[in-house]
Amino acid sequence: MIDRRTLLALAAGTMAGIGPGFAQNTPLRIGYVPVIGASALFVLAGDGSAREAGLDLKLSKFDSGPNAIQAFASGTLDILVIGVAPVAVARARGLEASVIAAAAVGGSAFVAGPALAKAFAENGNDPAKAFAAFRAATGRKAKLGTLPPGGVPTVALHHWLWKVGKVDRADIEIANMGIEVVQQAMLTGAIDGGTLLEPSATLVPERDPRIRRIVNAPDMFPNIPGVVVAASGSLLKSRSDVAERFVGLFHRATEQVRDEPAKAAPHVLAALGGGLVAEATIARALASPAVSFVNDPASIRKATEELLAYQVELGDFPQAPSLDGLFDQALYARGVKTAATR
C-alpha cells in the first residue's frame, strides 16, 4: 500500500513535469533546422506530451546544416532533425549516427513573380517554353533565387529545370541566398522567381496575389526527402529505449500535424512564425501539397538514393555515400509499436 507521504511525493513529481511511470525526466538534446518538415518536433516540444512521457527535450536551433552537423559530431546533441543528405555524407566520413525516422517529404515550392507567372500561364506551365517566352518578352534572363548549393530546395529546383523541364540554361540566371532573403527578394521584385520553403510558399502569394505558385517540390523531384530524425551512435548504444520512446512520440505528433493541422499550427507558429505569420497561414502551409509528413524510413530510401546520386551530378560532393546502415528500420518499428501500446 502506498502511504500518504509517497502519494504527495508522486504528486509533486508530476507537478514538476515528471511523466507518469518515470522516476525522473530524461534529458534529450535535440538540434534542428527551423523548417516546416520539422513540425512534429515543434508539436512534441510544445504540447507537453514529451514531458508527460518522461523526456526533457532540450532544443537547439541551427540556421545551417554544416553548423548542425558539426555540433552533432562533437557529441553535444543526441538527436538531429535535418535533411538526410548531410547525415549520409557525415556518416560516410565517420560520424556514428543513424536515421531512426523520416519526418517529411518535400517542403518547398517554386513561385514566380508577375511577369514570369504570365509567361507560365501563356505557355501551359511548360518550363522551357515559359522561360524562353520570358526572355523574348523582356530581353533578359529570368533571375531566380534559391538556397545555397546542397539544400533540398536547390536540388529540387535544378532537377525540375534541367531534368523535368528541359529548360535552356541560357534563359536563366540563378542566385544562391538565404531562406529569408529569397522571400524578401520575391516580395520586392528583386528576383523573377524562386524556391520558397513553407510557410513562405503560402505566405508570399497571400501578401502579393500577383506572385503565383508554379510547382511543388514533390513534383520537381518525386518523393524528395525533406527532413529526417537522426540519432547519435552514443544514444543508440547506451539509451536505445529513450530513442524508441522519442520515435513513438514523434510518430504521434506527426499524425496530429497531418490530420489536425489547425491544432498543430500554434506550436509550429511558435517555432517558425517569428511574430510575422498568422496562425491560419501556418495551418494552410501544413496542409500544402508542397509537403507531406511521413515517418517510415523505408518510404524515402529509394528517393534518398536518387537524391544523393543527383547531388553528385550537381557537384555537391564527389561520390554518393552508401545507404548501408544509414536507416535503423528496426528501431523505428519498435518505437511505433511502443507508441501504439501506450
Side-chain angles (χ1 to χ4, degrees):
M1 181 179 292
I2 300 177
D3 60 26
R4 184 172 181 274
R5 180 177 296 178
T6 302
L7 285 172
L8 289 173
L10 287 171
T14 302
M15 291 176 65
I18 298 175
F22 298 96
Q24 62 180 8
N25 281 15
T26 301
L28 198 58
R29 304 165 301 171
I30 303 174
Y32 70 94
V33 175
V35 295
I36 203 163
S39 290
L41 174 64
F42 307 144
V43 170
L44 186 55
D47 69 0
S49 59
R51 185 172 59 253
E52 291 169 4
L55 296 182
D56 179 15
L57 305 187
K58 300 182 179 297
L59 270 55
S60 298
K61 181 174 73 172
F62 295 89
D63 292 326
S64 70
N67 288 340
I69 288 292
Q70 185 176 9
F72 198 33
S74 73
T76 59
L77 299 173
D78 302 307
I79 285 175
L80 185 58
V81 183
I82 194 175
V84 69
V87 178
V89 172
R91 194 175 188 280
R93 294 174 178 170
L95 175 68
E96 290 190 22
S98 295
V99 172
I100 57 175
V105 165
S108 64
F110 178 78
V111 302
L116 185 56
K118 181 173 182 288
F120 269 91
E122 293 176 349
N123 288 276
N125 283 336
D126 182 300
K129 292 179 180 178
F131 285 112
F134 177 89
R135 186 174 186 183
T138 63
R140 62 177 179 83
K141 300 179 180 181
K143 185 174 182 179
L144 310 182
T146 191
L147 274 60
V152 169
T154 303
V155 176
L157 175 65
H158 282 284
H159 189 270
W160 176 64
L161 290 173
W162 320 130
K163 297 292 187 179
V164 178
K166 310 295 184 184
V167 175
D168 188 336
R169 293 176 184 267
D171 292 335
I172 290 175
E173 174 188 353
I174 297 177
N176 298 112
M177 52 188 73
I179 295 173
E180 294 182 359
V181 179
V182 179
Q183 176 180 317
Q184 292 304 313
M186 282 301 310
L187 288 169
T188 60
I191 54 177
D192 303 300
T195 51
L196 294 179
L197 277 70
E198 291 287 8
S200 293
T202 295
L203 174 66
V204 167
E206 286 181 352
R207 291 192 174 174
D208 186 347
R210 299 175 304 161
I211 297 174
R212 178 183 156 212
R213 183 190 299 249
I214 302 297
V215 62
N216 296 299
D219 296 314
M220 300 167 78
F221 193 125
N223 204 37
I224 188 167
V227 174
V228 298
V229 179
S232 69
S234 175
L235 179 67
L236 295 176
K237 290 176 182 176
S238 63
R239 297 187 292 160
S240 62
D241 60 315
V242 173
E244 289 176 21
R245 197 189 316 167
F246 179 81
V247 166
L249 292 166
F250 193 86
H251 177 69
R252 287 194 293 188
T254 298
E255 289 180 329
Q256 183 184 115
V257 171
R258 187 171 55 233
D259 301 336
E260 302 177 280
K263 188 174 181 180
H267 304 299
V268 179
L269 176 64
L272 299 182
L276 302 175
V277 185
E279 189 175 301
T281 298
I282 294 290
R284 286 191 289 273
L286 290 173
S288 163
V291 61
S292 56
F293 298 94
V294 299
N295 287 151
D296 190 348
S299 68
I300 64 167
R301 184 181 179 92
K302 184 175 184 296
T304 297
E305 187 173 12
E306 294 168 348
L307 171 70
L308 297 174
Y310 187 57
Q311 288 193 257
V312 172
E313 189 175 330
L314 291 176
D316 291 342
F317 32 80
Q319 66 181 49
S322 171
L323 298 191
D324 291 344
L326 176 63
F327 298 107
D328 193 333
Q329 192 71 33
L331 187 143
Y332 165 76
R334 292 195 302 270
V336 171
K337 184 178 180 180
T338 299
T341 58
R342 290 190 62 83

